[in-house]
Amino acid sequence: MSDNQLRVVWVYPDLLSTYGDQGNVLVVERRARQRGLDVARLDVRSDQPIPTSGDIYLIGGGEDRPQRLAAERLIRDGHLYQAVNNGAIVFAVCAGYQILGHEFVNDQGQRQPGLGLLDVTTVRGEGERCVGDVLADIDPRLGLPQLTGFENHQGVTHLGPTARPFARVQMGKGNGTGDGTEGAYNDTVFGTYMHGPVLARNPLIGDLLLKLALDVNALPPCDDRWYEALRNERIASAQQPA
């Protein structure tokens, strides 16, 4: 952690912030403060350099053209690579998830280089768009309960040998590959297609990011009643017959 202060960086809110993804940074910030942590939140626009001293970097989803612009600027900036090399934690959603991979298809129908921070490659799906509620079992190694979220994407994301599936879907399409995988992660970088915002529906994922950033195995308890009510409502709704 940086100078006894947790630094949470919201990357490019002017380009990547659809479906309420900014709620993810609000959840991380609040859950850190509930544990008595001193938090500095930095909202970094796409015309500003990415700081390299952050502890947790959050990236949201976006439309095709903003996604291309964000990828180009992040590659040109280069500071997110340095932050990860410094041990920072990255959590990205949808378009942000695709940007973390080796490449994706941009708004011009061309293969667009990504950051290569996750061993994944995204192509454009030929079938129906992946839209709707998702329920999935998170990788047991992460020790987290069932994942709930909302997906809306055309991308099909294939995992390479060094990427682990973040979850396996019980309902929904996930990565769109037909193998049941959803998202991907390595030791410090996480990607998912889940909106919702995903950390409001799954606050223990936010706690996982905090534990990794703080290098601790546990956090003091906090009031989870609101989050649990939201989780239970969304899971029950997803399980209702169509």
Side-chain angles (χ1 to χ4, degrees), residues 13 16 21 52-53 72 76 78 92 94 97 111 128-129 142 155 157 162 177 179 181 187 189 191 219:
L16 301 173
D21 291 332
T52 60
S53 58
E72 291 171 349
R76 185 165 60 245
C94 204
Y97 167 35
R111 293 189 299 179
E128 294 183 357
R129 190 173 182 86
L142 297 176
T157 300
T162 67
T177 53
D179 61 0
T181 62
D187 291 338
V189 180
L219 296 170

Side-chain angles (χ1 to χ4, degrees), residues 138-186:
I138 296 177
D139 187 335
R141 287 174 286 192
L142 297 176
L144 295 171
Q146 188 176 45
L147 174 69
T148 169
F150 180 85
E151 63 182 352
N152 185 353
H153 63 95
Q154 191 70 39
V156 174
T157 300
H158 298 274
L159 276 58
T162 67
R164 297 189 289 271
F166 182 59
R168 293 193 176 273
V169 296
Q170 300 301 316
M171 175 186 300
K173 301 295 185 181
N175 287 326
T177 53
D179 61 0
T181 62
E182 199 298 303
Y185 77 103
N186 57 35

Side-chain angles (χ1 to χ4, degrees), residues 178-241:
D179 61 0
T181 62
E182 199 298 303
Y185 77 103
N186 57 35
D187 291 338
T188 60
V189 180
F190 298 79
T192 178
Y193 274 113
M194 296 300 96
H195 300 284
V198 64
L199 296 188
R201 290 195 186 196
N202 306 271
L204 294 185
I205 298 176
D207 286 357
L208 172 66
L209 304 180
L210 291 173
K211 287 188 285 187
L212 291 171
L214 298 169
D215 194 21
V216 297
N217 293 322
L219 296 170
C222 65
D223 187 353
D224 277 340
R225 287 175 293 179
W226 182 90
Y227 296 100
E228 283 304 311
L230 174 63
R231 274 183 60 79
N232 292 337
E233 189 275 331
R234 296 316 307 157
I235 291 172
S237 177
Q239 292 173 335
Q240 289 294 320

Side-chain angles (χ1 to χ4, degrees), residues 10-23 59-63 66 195:
W10 179 233
V11 177
Y12 294 176
D14 54 327
L15 295 178
L16 301 173
S17 185
T18 60
Y19 299 111
D21 291 332
Q22 190 171 6
I59 309 174
E63 302 301 325
H195 300 284

Side-chain angles (χ1 to χ4, degrees), residues 75-145:
I75 290 172
R76 185 165 60 245
D77 176 87
H79 288 171
L80 192 58
Y81 296 108
Q82 186 175 338
V84 171
N85 287 335
N86 291 342
I89 311 303
V90 180
F91 184 85
V93 172
C94 204
Y97 167 35
Q98 295 180 4
I99 288 172
L100 294 184
H102 298 300
E103 68 177 30
F104 59 92
V105 178
N106 65 23
D107 58 308
Q108 300 170 338
Q110 300 171 338
R111 293 189 299 179
Q112 176 83 28
L115 299 178
L117 293 173
L118 278 174
D119 185 14
V120 303
T121 301
T122 300
V123 298
R124 184 162 293 167
E126 300 297 329
E128 294 183 357
R129 190 173 182 86
C130 300
V131 181
D133 276 304
V134 174
L135 295 177
D137 297 325
I138 296 177
D139 187 335
R141 287 174 286 192
L142 297 176
L144 295 171

